[in-house]
């Protein structure tokens, strides 16, 4: 089963998945999708982040 099928079967609306990955880190400002599974920031285009961020922490909501 591919990822798309798994997402469709999860019942989670696509808009929720997109907003989850668009969330920014309060330390480095990069989106969640730019962080590795361990939380370390891979930066933009998979170049290492120079901010010293090694744990994704979501920004506080406005």
């Amino acid at each position: 089963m591919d990822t798309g099928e798994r997402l469709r079967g999860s019942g989670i609306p696509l808009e929720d998945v997109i907003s989850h990955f668009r969330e920014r880190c309060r330390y480095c400002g990069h989106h969640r999708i730019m962080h590795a599974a361990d939380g370390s920031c891979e930066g933009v285009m998979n170049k290492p982040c120079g901010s010293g961020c090694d744990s994704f922490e979501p920004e506080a909501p406005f």
Side-chain angles (χ1 to χ4, degrees), residues 1-41:
M1 181 182 306
D2 73 2
T3 303
E5 289 174 7
R6 290 172 43 206
L7 283 170
R8 284 188 291 280
S10 73
I12 302 171
L14 183 58
E15 295 81 18
D16 290 352
V17 173
I18 291 170
S19 65
H20 172 78
F21 285 104
R22 282 190 176 160
E23 215 171 6
R24 290 184 178 270
C25 176
R26 65 189 266 181
Y27 296 120
C28 68
H30 291 139
H31 293 106
R32 182 186 306 270
I33 200 157
M34 296 173 187
H35 288 72
D38 66 359
S40 62
C41 186

